[in-house]
């Protein structure tokens, strides 16, 4: 039986490791471990790739969100809106900076928060900020309207781009066109490091400067401090790995997008699985393939695929407002039940850079049999 993993990080391009190792040796001999030229180069490479004005490297994607919230002035008791369908790091980060998370339900069609929902949230919770999360390698379809809405209502907008590195909206980089956004280079992301790393992006030089300062103890010079920050510096080794990976990224994205497109094209019209596509105007990066199964069928389909050697994911299996401890921190929620339904219906098929044609063909063949 053929085996297809949900994700395989070991598909290095020919020559990738061979050309990386001498760079690592150089770094070790120079003992340049934290900060330095590779990190600076990484910040400018990242900004260039995303057409962003400023990029700030940091230790991971969760820190990036916390730093962004702090740089946006979110503090004790401030309400912050976020989607109920997201990764826990977003909820957690709001609490960690003293804010109060208020969850918004998703639009069942796009499985992202809509501008209408954000408007309702602003009305109801008078938030200081919105943490908009772009899931699945897409952009939230209403991103441009949401940006305007936040600006008009003096709500600080932070965009979590952990999954949308390289994605575009109306021909523009999602991250690069934002006021303040974050990303993660956790190895499984579209641009993965070989450990933890993250970054912030801003169009505002002052905001970028504050973010940079927060990543390094709020330093103004080595032993002088202008802010209460913490240590969230990117290691030089991770920066080297990212700098080395970036030239391969467009090709990796193209190979992922091909897989997503093939699933959509070849698995149309099945009764028990429906593939979603990014909204028109949104160009995906192929981070995840996204399908919905009828509630009650999803887990059966997942199990049947596993029996055929195919591993799948569920991003995400339950709403943030319903986690064991969320009740103690939740400021409130707007909930029409769409997030819960989505979490019971979502299924992500295998999708990763350099997935082979025979692997995709095998997945397609099995899904046709199982989900018909
Ligand atoms: C991965 C991820 C994060 C967290 O990033 P880390 O680098 O793992 O801390 C935050 N938000 C979303 C949407 C993510 O997918």
């Amino acid at each position: 039986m053929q085996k297809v993993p949900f994700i395989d990080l070991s598909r290095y391009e020919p020559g990738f490791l061979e050309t990386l190792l001498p760079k690592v040796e150089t770094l070790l001999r120079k003992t340049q471990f934290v900060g330095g030229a590779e990190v600076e180069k990484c910040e400018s490479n990242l900004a260039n790739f995303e057409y962003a004005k400023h990029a700030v490297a940091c230790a991971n994607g969760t820190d990036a969100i916390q730093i962004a919230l702090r740089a946006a002035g979110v503090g004790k008791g401030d309400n912050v809106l976020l989607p109920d369908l997201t990764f826990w790091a977003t909820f957690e980060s709001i609490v960690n900076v003293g804010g109060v998370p208020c969850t918004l339900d998703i639009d069942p069609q796009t499985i992202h928060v809509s501008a209408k929902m954000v408007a309702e949230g602003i009305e109801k919770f008078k938030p200081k900020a919105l943490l908009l999360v772009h899931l699945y390698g897409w952009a939230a379809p209403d991103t441009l309207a949401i940006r305007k809405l936040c600006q008009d209502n003096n709500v600080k907008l932070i965009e979590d781009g952990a999954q949308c590195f390289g994605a575009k909206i109306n021909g523009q980089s999602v991250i690069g066109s934002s006021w303040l956004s974050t990303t993660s280079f956790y190895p499984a992301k579209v641009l993965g490091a070989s450990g933890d790393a993250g970054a912030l992006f801003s169009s505002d030089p002052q905001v970028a400067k504050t973010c940079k300062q927060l990543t390094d103890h709020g330093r103004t010079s080595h032993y002088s401090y202008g802010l209460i920050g913490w240590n969230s510096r990117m290691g030089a080794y991770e920066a080297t790995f990212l700098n080395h990976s970036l030239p391969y990224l467009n090709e990796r994205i193209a190979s992922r997008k091909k897989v997503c497109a093939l699933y959509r094209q070849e698995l149309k019209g099945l009764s028990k699985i429906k593939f979603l596509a990014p909204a028109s105007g949104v160009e995906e990066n192929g981070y995840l393939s996204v399908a919905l199964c009828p509630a009650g069928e999803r887990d059966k389909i997942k199990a049947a695929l596993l029996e055929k050697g195919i591993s799948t994911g569920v991003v995400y299996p339950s709403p943030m407002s319903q986690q064991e401890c969320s009740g103690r921190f939740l400021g409130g929620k707007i909930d029409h039940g769409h997030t819960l339904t989505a979490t019971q219906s979502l299924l992500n098929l295998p999708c990763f850079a350099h997935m082979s044609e025979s692997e995709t063909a095998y997945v397609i063949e099995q899904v046709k049999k199982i989900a018909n």
Side-chain angles (χ1 to χ4, degrees):
M1 184 178 65
Q2 197 166 345
K3 279 209 179 241
V4 184
F6 176 52
I7 178 170
D8 183 357
L9 298 180
S10 72
R11 309 273 167 108
Y12 298 115
E13 293 81 3
F16 179 91
L17 286 179
E18 293 79 353
T19 47
L20 172 65
L21 294 176
K23 294 181 185 174
V24 175
E25 189 180 354
T26 305
L27 192 75
L28 296 179
R29 293 203 185 278
K30 276 203 293 196
T31 66
Q32 176 62 72
F33 297 133
V34 173
E38 285 290 341
V39 174
E40 278 167 31
K41 197 163 91 187
C42 187
E43 288 177 332
S44 73
N45 284 344
L46 293 170
N48 285 342
F49 191 89
E50 285 292 351
Y51 302 94
K53 285 223 176 83
H54 307 277
V56 174
C58 71
N60 58 68
T62 308
D63 273 6
I65 299 168
Q66 288 175 193
I67 289 161
L69 288 163
R70 290 271 301 275
V74 174
K76 205 163 180 214
D78 290 331
N79 282 349
V80 180
L81 303 176
L82 81 162
D84 208 4
L85 183 68
T86 174
F87 179 52
W88 183 242
T90 54
F91 190 98
E92 207 174 43
S93 297
I94 294 167
V95 176
N96 280 339
V97 302
V100 180
C102 303
T103 56
L104 302 178
D105 207 351
I106 52 161
D107 174 333
Q109 242 63 55
T110 69
I111 57 171
H112 281 77
V113 291
S114 62
K116 187 169 164 278
M117 181 53 65
V118 170
E120 255 184 83
I122 292 175
E123 182 72 29
K124 184 166 178 188
F125 298 113
K126 309 278 181 273
K128 172 100 183 190
L130 161 66
L131 183 51
L132 180 64
V133 186
H134 302 293
L135 291 175
Y136 312 119
W138 308 344
D142 289 354
T143 296
L144 303 185
I146 291 170
R147 285 177 183 165
K148 173 139 198 338
L149 199 57
C150 286
Q151 199 162 28
D152 292 347
N153 288 279
N154 200 21
V155 171
K156 296 287 191 327
L157 175 59
I158 295 150
E159 301 182 36
D160 178 358
Q163 302 187 6
C164 79
F165 196 81
K168 295 202 167 77
I169 186 159
N170 289 357
Q172 283 196 304
S173 152
V174 181
I175 285 175
S177 60
S178 69
W179 170 66
L180 178 56
S181 58
T182 65
T183 200
S184 160
F185 304 119
Y186 178 73
K189 309 289 185 190
V190 162
L191 175 61
S194 55
D196 283 307
L200 296 111
F201 299 85
S202 181
S203 56
D204 181 328
Q206 205 51 47
V207 171
K209 196 175 160 217
T210 303
C211 291
K212 183 77 188 171
Q213 211 180 332
L214 286 169
T215 65
D216 192 19
H217 302 295
R219 274 192 168 114
T220 49
S221 69
H222 196 68
Y223 288 123
S224 314
Y225 313 95
L227 293 168
I228 300 294
W230 63 98
N231 173 4
S232 183
R233 297 177 300 237
M234 184 189 278
Y237 168 70
E238 292 307 343
T240 304
F241 189 91
L242 289 170
N243 287 332
H244 189 71
S245 301
L246 267 162
Y248 296 90
L249 189 57
N250 282 325
E251 206 186 309
R252 291 180 189 175
I253 287 176
S255 85
R256 286 173 171 275
K257 283 168 77 169
K258 205 165 128 192
V259 174
C260 294
L262 261 175
Y263 288 154
R264 274 184 214 122
Q265 185 191 311
E266 298 298 317
L267 297 169
K268 258 195 292 227
L270 297 179
S271 64
K272 292 185 200 157
I273 193 162
K274 184 176 155 257
F275 286 80
L276 302 188
S280 77
V282 175
E283 197 187 307
E284 67 186 335
N285 65 11
Y287 177 58
L288 287 172
S289 133
V290 188
L292 297 175
C293 303
E297 294 286 345
R298 196 266 315 274
D299 292 343
K300 287 183 215 160
I301 294 170
K302 192 171 173 33
L305 286 168
L306 191 59
E307 225 163 83
K308 295 292 176 190
I310 299 168
S311 299
T312 54
V314 172
V315 177
Y316 290 98
S318 56
M320 291 302 99
S321 61
Q322 297 182 24
Q323 303 305 308
E324 200 184 309
C325 73
S326 6
R328 283 165 43 208
F329 303 101
L330 195 66
K333 59 175 175 170
I334 301 178
D335 188 356
H336 304 299
H338 300 313
T339 301
L340 184 63
T341 304
T343 59
Q344 294 165 344
S345 318
L346 279 160
L347 185 66
N348 308 99
L349 294 187
C351 177
F352 47 89
H354 309 310
M355 188 172 164
S356 75
E357 272 176 35
S358 85
E359 285 171 322
T360 5
Y362 180 67
V363 173
I364 288 168
E365 179 197 326
Q366 294 304 321
V367 172
K368 271 185 185 162
K369 286 186 195 157
I370 288 164
N372 203 358

